[in-house]
Amino acid sequence: MSIAAHPVESSLLTRLATGTAGAVGKEFLRCLVTELAGALDADMAFVAERCGDGEACTLASFGKPGVELREGQVFTLAGTPCEDAYTHDLLLVSRGARLRYPEDAFLRRYALDGYLAVALRDGRGEAIGHIGVISARTPLDPAPSELQALRIFAARAGAELERRRHEVALLRAADEERRRIGRDLHDGAQQRLVVLGQALDLALRELEADPGRAVARLSAAREQAVIAGRELRELAQGLHPVGLERGLRPALSALAVQSPLPVRIEALPDERPSAVIEATVWFLVSEALTNAIKHAAATELRVRVTASDDELLVAVADNGAGGACPSRGTGLQGLRARVEALGGTLAIHSPRGAGTALTARLRPRP
Ligand SMILES: Nc1ncnc2c1ncn2[C@@H]1O[C@H](COP(=O)(O)OP(=O)(O)OP(=O)(O)O)[C@@H](O)[C@H]1O
Ligand SMILES: [Mg+2]
């Protein structure tokens, strides 16, 4: 179909492209709904994200004066055309929406009767949101090329929703990590330093009257200081891996040397990936190692990192008990959030009795 032959029909695509040019994040969604409502002369256009059971949350909306759907407003999907939007790729009710969806209070309140929606999908094809366009004027009758333009921009909006989800997951993982560090500091080094201070106080007081006792207190205090030092070192190592600035090999070797469980590094790429990818590989190996020691009763951990033009494959496997379940902790969930935020995927294969394998596929230069 040539553009020249259908100048009017192709205008929605141009309008959406122009109206959203340069906009990112939520602003992109806002521009999109504003342009859509304007171009289709609709009373309301919005983007909503599926949240919770049978509900959707409005992320961006544009309504003609008097027609309001607030950003952040959560609404129930049951009995509305929005519910059907999730089972149809594209749903068009040119007229008669109120008759077809008598329970929809929003359509009733604003006397809206034409409804158009397209589902927004994530990278796995799951419907995670929708764009809705609602009109009082009927028939709401977009041209085929306008529907095509809507589909194209729905793909972009779907990618935007997915990006936001990764961002939220990453923030949650970072919060959880901070909480864990705070807990570790409080229960570990901080407690030991308090005990150490008390032991030194007592030793000072007893120094003259009972030197033997003072010496015993001092040697107990020294022990606490050594343990506190080790705990702080381990904590610092988890925050910023030693040796990583020199590359994966020295950093992973340092991890292996300190480990009570043998770590076999079978392959590492010749060329260094970007710093954020190297850190991610380190965290993958470190968490897999901690888990193998803590939960698996494994006798070894194998690490393979291989690179092709468009992918870095990280495979870390122990030969222990299996049965890993991400919902029981935060370590594996945090890893998945980190990998997905970089546009990668993490597969966890952990059949009972047959070891645990983590396989991450990463883009080498995200
Ligand atoms: N390698 C493994 N072998 C057997 N079970 C495992 C293994 N890794 C994890 N698991 C199981 O899966 C659960 C979740 O692991 P995850 O690493 O997410 O949390 P965690 O290790 O319990 O705590 P943390 O949040 O400190 O990592 C663990 O509690 C454990 O029961
Ligand atoms: Mg763990």
Side-chain angles (χ1 to χ4, degrees):
M1 180 192 316
S2 94
I3 290 174
H6 298 272
V8 176
E9 288 186 7
S10 68
S11 70
L12 180 59
L13 187 58
T14 312
R15 182 165 176 173
L16 293 182
T18 315
T20 60
V24 291
K26 214 162 198 186
E27 202 43 40
F28 163 73
L29 299 178
R30 287 193 190 114
C31 292
L32 180 61
V33 292
T34 306
E35 294 302 329
L36 262 178
L40 298 176
D41 191 22
D43 293 75
M44 157 72 50
F46 63 94
V47 178
E49 181 180 25
R50 214 175 200 172
C51 62
D53 213 13
E55 290 183 328
C57 174
T58 314
L59 294 181
S61 72
F62 174 87
K64 280 188 179 166
V67 183
E68 196 195 24
L69 182 64
R70 271 182 301 103
E71 276 185 18
Q73 190 167 328
V74 173
F75 56 92
T76 305
L77 291 169
T80 72
C82 297
E83 184 180 33
D84 288 346
Y86 288 90
T87 45
H88 297 61
D89 240 2
L90 192 135
L91 175 71
L92 175 61
V93 183
S94 292
R95 56 158 66 93
R98 265 177 295 160
L99 203 62
R100 191 159 147 189
Y101 299 97
E103 288 167 38
D104 191 319
F106 189 79
L107 297 181
R108 222 175 24 242
R109 176 162 3 128
Y110 297 114
L112 303 169
D113 215 27
Y115 181 94
L116 166 66
V118 59
L120 307 181
R121 299 187 181 277
D122 65 10
R124 296 190 193 94
E126 195 191 328
I128 55 174
H130 71 290
I131 296 177
V133 178
I134 325 180
S135 179
R137 181 188 57 84
T138 55
L140 176 61
D141 211 5
S145 72
E146 289 179 322
L147 295 179
Q148 188 58 21
L150 185 61
R151 280 199 167 98
I152 291 170
F153 274 80
R156 251 200 83 184
E160 174 58 29
L161 254 58
E162 194 172 14
R163 193 192 61 74
R164 286 168 51 85
R165 283 192 168 187
H166 289 157
E167 223 169 64
V168 171
L170 204 62
L171 277 177
R172 282 213 188 101
D175 277 354
E176 188 51 50
E177 186 65 3
R178 267 198 291 277
R179 245 197 304 278
R180 187 186 65 75
I181 293 166
R183 217 170 37 227
D184 282 1
L185 274 173
H186 177 268
D187 299 347
Q190 191 180 331
Q191 297 299 327
R192 295 199 190 288
L193 291 174
V194 169
V195 173
L196 188 143
Q198 287 166 345
L200 288 176
D201 270 352
L202 286 171
L204 270 177
R205 265 185 257 151
E206 289 164 352
L207 205 53
E208 282 187 10
D210 191 350
R213 225 164 146 188
V215 167
R217 292 222 192 265
L218 285 173
S219 70
R222 187 172 174 277
E223 216 167 276
Q224 293 293 320
V226 170
I227 300 174
R230 192 176 58 227
E231 284 176 353
L232 283 174
R233 210 168 35 250
E234 279 168 8
L235 208 63
Q237 165 80 359
L239 291 177
H240 181 72
V242 170
L244 199 54
E245 54 285 341
R246 285 184 289 120
L248 272 175
R249 191 172 292 282
L252 293 181
S253 300
L255 207 57
V257 165
Q258 290 162 18
S259 164
L261 183 70
V263 177
R264 192 136 57 91
I265 299 170
E266 296 180 339
L268 287 179
D270 296 330
E271 235 178 87
R272 285 185 66 173
S274 65
V276 67
I277 292 291
E278 282 190 336
T280 303
V281 174
W282 190 91
F283 284 119
L284 264 163
V285 177
S286 170
E287 177 62 26
L289 181 59
T290 309
N291 280 350
I293 295 167
K294 243 187 355 184
H295 310 297
T299 57
E300 75 166 357
L301 185 83
R302 285 181 295 124
V303 178
R304 276 188 83 77
V305 185
T306 48
S308 65
D309 280 349
D310 55 355
E311 188 176 89
L312 193 82
L313 188 69
V314 188
V316 191
D318 70 46
N319 61 349
C325 174
S327 61
R328 285 207 298 268
T330 58
L332 293 173
Q333 285 181 42
L335 277 184
R336 176 163 278 152
R338 191 177 169 105
V339 167
E340 289 183 351
L342 293 169
T345 59
L346 176 68
I348 300 165
H349 186 64
S350 186
R352 288 211 177 276
T356 297
L358 306 185
T359 310
R361 295 173 185 280
L362 293 158
R363 297 212 308 265
R365 312 227 159 255

